[in-house]
């Protein structure tokens, strides 16, 4: 799998099949994927998150909805596409999601009726963007997830969830807790575990 290249040029990372299987099974369970779900494939095939966007729905019997290349910016066309294809799960890069929230907020529109999960990944999420999202996402059943992890950990390692009706506490958006069968260690500058 190739890294995003956010710290320089993208590099190839060796990932074992069992790690990909574990991660896709994690996401299938985390999302509660069902046969009637329609999952947006947003990322380029060269980007690590595309593995989850394609394989997790397929192992769950869900439908993968491919995003056409012309939908590179949030707006009416993107919203219409989601509605037309009854997309229920979107996994978006943080920057795109942030712009989508602004569009929804500015136009006083709501997100698609079918959407039940919005997942955000790739960059740090600002608390203000989450508050704007909570104001904009009026649907009572929409779950919001912030996922984090390096490609070397097979795409993602942690998740933080805001369920319907929950509010963000504090000024930072956590990266959350480890996905199942994943361990996290917080280390100091000498790579020693820090106290709780």
């Amino acid at each position: 799998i190739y890294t995003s290249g956010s710290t320089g040029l993208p590099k190839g990372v060796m990932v074992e099949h069992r790690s990909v299987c574990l991660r896709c099974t994690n996401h299938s369970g985390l999302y509660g994927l069902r046969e009637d779900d329609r999952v947006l494939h947003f990322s380029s095939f060269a980007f690590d998150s595309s593995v989850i966007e394609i394989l997790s729905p397929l192992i769950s019997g869900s439908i993968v909805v491919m995003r056409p290349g012309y939908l590179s910016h949030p707006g009416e066309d993107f919203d219409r596409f989601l509605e037309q294809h009854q997309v229920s799960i979107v996994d978006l890069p943080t920057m795109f999601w942030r712009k989508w929230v602004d569009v929804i907020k500015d136009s006083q529109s709501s997100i698609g009726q079918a959407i039940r999960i919005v997942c955000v990944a790739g960059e740090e999420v600002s608390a203000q963007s989450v508050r704007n999202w909570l104001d904009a996402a009026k649907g009572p059943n929409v779950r919001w997830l912030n996922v984090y992890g390096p490609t070397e950990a097979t795409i993602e390692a942690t998740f933080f969830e805001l369920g319907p009706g929950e509010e963000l506490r504090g000024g930072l958006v956590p990266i959350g807790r480890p996905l199942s069968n994943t361990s996290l260690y917080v280390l100091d500058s000498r790579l020693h575990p820090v106290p709780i």
Side-chain angles (χ1 to χ4, degrees), residues 109-129:
S109 64
S110 61
I111 64 169
Q113 295 296 322
I115 293 179
R116 65 183 191 87
I117 297 175
V118 172
C119 184
V120 178
E123 294 177 62
E124 182 178 350
V125 178
S126 76
Q128 186 57 52
S129 293

Side-chain angles (χ1 to χ4, degrees), residues 87-102:
V87 172
S88 56
I89 298 172
V90 294
D91 188 340
L92 301 172
T94 306
M95 185 61 75
F96 187 95
W97 169 77
R98 191 178 315 138
K99 290 178 182 177
W100 187 42
V101 171
D102 291 342

Side-chain angles (χ1 to χ4, degrees), residues 17-114:
H17 287 118
R18 65 182 176 175
S19 299
V20 173
C21 290
L22 171 65
R23 197 58 71 226
C24 290
T25 303
N26 281 341
H27 273 269
S28 180
L30 180 64
Y31 292 169
L33 285 175
R34 310 177 303 229
E35 289 180 13
D36 62 337
D37 274 320
R38 300 174 70 83
V39 181
L40 180 65
H41 177 263
F42 184 92
S43 301
S44 160
F45 289 109
F47 189 50
D48 62 0
S49 65
S50 71
V51 173
I52 289 175
E53 293 173 351
I54 296 169
L55 296 181
S56 294
L58 293 181
I59 66 170
S60 305
S62 306
I63 296 169
V64 178
V65 178
M66 308 297 282
R67 174 186 60 93
Y70 70 87
L71 291 179
S72 58
H73 301 288
E76 289 180 20
D77 290 341
F78 181 71
D79 294 344
R80 195 176 333 22
F81 179 83
L82 295 178
E83 195 66 39
Q84 177 186 357
H85 293 281
Q86 291 296 289
V87 172
S88 56
I89 298 172
V90 294
D91 188 340
L92 301 172
T94 306
M95 185 61 75
F96 187 95
W97 169 77
R98 191 178 315 138
K99 290 178 182 177
W100 187 42
V101 171
D102 291 342
V103 167
I104 293 170
K105 185 178 174 189
D106 291 344
S107 66
Q108 303 289 321
S109 64
S110 61
I111 64 169
Q113 295 296 322

Side-chain angles (χ1 to χ4, degrees), residues 167-183:
E167 292 189 19
L168 182 65
R169 295 184 205 139
L172 297 174
V173 180
I175 62 169
R177 300 197 174 273
L179 292 164
S180 63
N181 287 326
T182 304
S183 297

